[in-house]
Amino acid sequence: KPPERFPKALFMNFSIWKAVCLWKLCQEGSSDSAQFLQIVKESQQQHGLRHGDFQRYRYLLLILMDAERAWSYAMQLKQEANTEPRKRFHLLSRLRKAVKHAEELERLCESNRVDAKTKLEAQAYMAYLTGMLRFEHQEWKAAMEAFNKCKTIYEKLANAFTEEQAVLYNQRVEEISPNIRYCAYNIGDQSAMNELMQMRLRSGGTEGLLAEKLEALITQTRAKQAATMSEVEWRGRTVPVKIDKVRIFLLGLADNEAAIVQAENEETKERLFESLLSECRDAIQAVREDLKPDQKQREHSLENDSGKVSNIQYLHSYLTYIKLSTAIRRNESMAKSLQKALLQQQRSEEDGKRTARPQDLIRLYDIILQNLVELTQLPGLEEDKNFQKEIGLKTLVYKAYRCFFIAQSYVLVKKWSEALVLYERVLKYARQVQSGAGAYTNSLKELPDVQDLITQVNAEKYSLQAAAILDANDTQETESPSQVKDGKPLSERFETFCLDPSLVSKQVSLVHFPPGFQPIPCKPLFFDLALNHVAFPPLEDKVEQKAKSGLTGYIKGIFGFKS
């Protein structure tokens, strides 16, 4: 409400200015600075003022942004209401405000100046916000009617335009379809529950208004079913299931696995695998809390008569088996995606993207083999010979594929001998699997076919041998005198023809510089050969005179006297 001394016309213009600025600021982010004049001019040119349509700029856009502002605030409060329930009242208030603005927008669009398409858009927008408000009030019938009206209008609009323009309308239809089914379920349509679960699983999780309600509904439904579940059978042994979280997980296991098989793309499949593994880890943790960590409890976990582990320990082994098996399937799915990427490696290199490498696949198969080792160590299955044999065959299959991709990595660096040895080992593993499969064919049918691997390895061996021969020929040609320079400068090989590209480059080698050392004659040596034939003069008189001086001379010498 404007102040009493504030001109009404000026207040209305100021409100329009504020709405436009707030809208642009929200689009630009949370920055505290904005170019107001530029924002206003752009908005005016884009929304009617270019053609002098002030009414469109003043009413339709302003009201639509008011409705969106109230709706976005309500969605923010919905997120905060998870930890602060009191904010739910404010949430409902903002949704009512959004619906009020949408009603005003629909009323204004009834004008003759508005085309039919815009009128339908306004009606669908009004129905959508109304459905959301009724949904939050849990008025299921009114919400379903509003959502159905919105869906019908958007479907008609989608059919009236090209495929590119229809994408946006179809996305909104897919968004509100789970809401319609949820309302139908609450009205009494029990078949809607199965459709909701399939929608959730196919998409890898639901987002938006329905997410929390649908998750709570699925958990509630499974909890009711879990009340009737008291035991589970695995590998010929039946164990009781007393933990509710484990019951709920086991009831939803088949649905989750079916959704993974029906996943439309690899991204959805990956999300479903992660969701299943997360639920499995939670169930395992719930079982661990019932397992006593002290040694005394572990001693009593073995039954004295049969030597089998306790029921709770066996249940823990079963859940661990599910977790490890799911992890293996996930890594195998990732490996298949990488194999496809390897086949398209040339095109990826042209696009400048990072290409898949055999080393990536080797890492995945290393993880798979580690998971298989953990499977053989599960308590209660050490003496199960059939289980151990089955895991052993699976290990050989994945070892064969791991060796194959190690060989591929050696081929890339032209290490032909190492690659050939690894190809032979791949054939060895594959033949061991074929000879030992026998009664385990059904358990191995989900694994990669080793016969296809054998065929591929045989073809790769021939290609490898041909590549090795060609590489040897290339080496000989490279080492021919006409193409290889021996390091000598041009001044020393005038008599030999050699293709030397460096002669036309800046690093041309013409002569040795600085020049090397050369041998030269050394200074002559003179030997005195006449020495042995020279007669020296006699020195006896000097020697005797020296001897006569004797002690006296010695004493004089001591005291410094000289003769």
Side-chain angles (χ1 to χ4, degrees), residues 307-322:
K308 295 181 179 180
V309 298
S310 63
N311 288 333
I312 189 68
Q313 182 63 62
Y314 195 76
L315 180 61
H316 183 271
S317 296
Y318 175 46
L319 294 174
T320 306
Y321 170 81
I322 294 174

Side-chain angles (χ1 to χ4, degrees), residues 549-561:
S549 60
L551 181 60
T552 305
Y554 176 74
I555 294 173
K556 289 181 178 180
I558 293 175
F559 291 97
F561 299 103

Side-chain angles (χ1 to χ4, degrees), residues 534-542:
V534 174
F536 292 95
L539 301 175
E540 289 83 359
D541 54 345
K542 294 183 178 182

Side-chain angles (χ1 to χ4, degrees), residues 82 87 140 298-299 443 464 489 523 543 556:
N82 294 329
K87 289 192 175 182
W140 309 119
R298 286 198 297 269
E299 291 176 356
S443 61
L464 186 147
K523 184 178 181 180
V543 173
K556 289 181 178 180

Side-chain angles (χ1 to χ4, degrees), residues 19-237:
V20 173
C21 291
L22 286 174
W23 172 45
K24 283 295 184 178
L25 281 172
C26 291
Q27 288 183 331
E28 293 181 356
S30 59
S31 177
D32 293 330
S33 62
Q35 298 176 352
F36 291 141
L37 182 58
Q38 181 181 353
I39 292 172
V40 170
K41 287 297 183 182
E42 288 178 358
S43 300
Q44 291 174 351
Q45 294 297 317
Q46 293 175 5
H47 303 287
L49 265 66
R50 181 184 302 226
H51 307 289
D53 189 355
F54 290 91
Q55 184 175 7
R56 173 187 170 192
Y57 181 69
R58 181 172 181 267
Y59 287 106
L60 301 184
L61 181 62
L62 176 61
I63 297 175
L64 178 63
M65 289 301 105
D66 281 340
E68 282 294 291
R69 179 169 177 265
W71 168 81
S72 61
Y73 192 10
M75 294 301 100
Q76 176 189 344
L77 292 169
K78 183 174 180 63
Q79 294 176 345
E80 298 173 356
N82 294 329
T83 56
E84 302 179 56
R86 296 184 61 183
K87 289 192 175 182
R88 178 170 173 77
F89 298 102
H90 195 184
L91 180 157
L92 296 175
S93 174
R94 299 311 302 174
L95 274 180
R96 282 192 292 268
K97 190 73 172 178
V99 171
K100 182 178 179 181
H101 288 302
E103 289 176 350
E104 181 66 16
L105 177 65
E106 183 181 12
R107 185 185 63 81
L108 290 173
C109 288
E110 294 176 356
S111 171
N112 295 330
R113 299 185 58 181
V114 178
D115 59 10
K117 174 182 175 297
T118 307
K119 291 179 180 180
L120 288 175
E121 289 266 14
Q123 293 174 9
Y125 185 71
M126 169 62 186
Y128 176 71
L129 291 180
T130 301
M132 295 185 70
L133 177 61
R134 300 304 178 191
F135 193 95
E136 287 296 332
H137 279 292
Q138 298 185 2
E139 299 175 2
W140 309 119
K141 187 175 181 179
M144 187 172 68
E145 291 176 354
F147 282 136
N148 277 326
K149 179 180 179 181
C150 176
K151 179 182 177 182
T152 302
I153 295 174
Y154 282 134
E155 286 176 343
K156 290 181 179 180
L157 289 172
N159 294 330
F161 298 99
T162 63
E163 293 184 1
E164 295 181 356
Q165 294 174 322
V167 171
L168 191 61
Y169 299 112
N170 290 328
Q171 288 178 348
R172 178 53 62 91
V173 170
E174 293 177 2
E175 178 185 342
I176 63 178
S177 292
N179 297 343
I180 295 173
R181 302 311 301 162
Y182 186 83
C183 294
Y185 171 79
N186 284 281
I187 291 174
D189 186 358
Q190 297 298 324
S191 63
M193 181 59 188
N194 294 330
E195 295 182 18
L196 283 172
M197 294 183 67
Q198 291 300 321
M199 288 180 183
R200 169 184 173 271
L201 294 173
R202 282 197 301 269
S203 62
T206 308
E207 299 178 355
L209 181 67
L210 190 61
E212 298 175 4
K213 293 182 180 295
L214 183 55
E215 291 294 336
L217 177 61
I218 292 174
T219 303
Q220 180 182 0
T221 303
R222 287 179 178 172
K224 292 180 180 178
Q225 297 174 352
T228 62
M229 181 182 182
S230 58
E231 59 187 17
V232 65
E233 182 180 355
W234 181 52
R235 302 196 69 83
R237 179 174 175 179

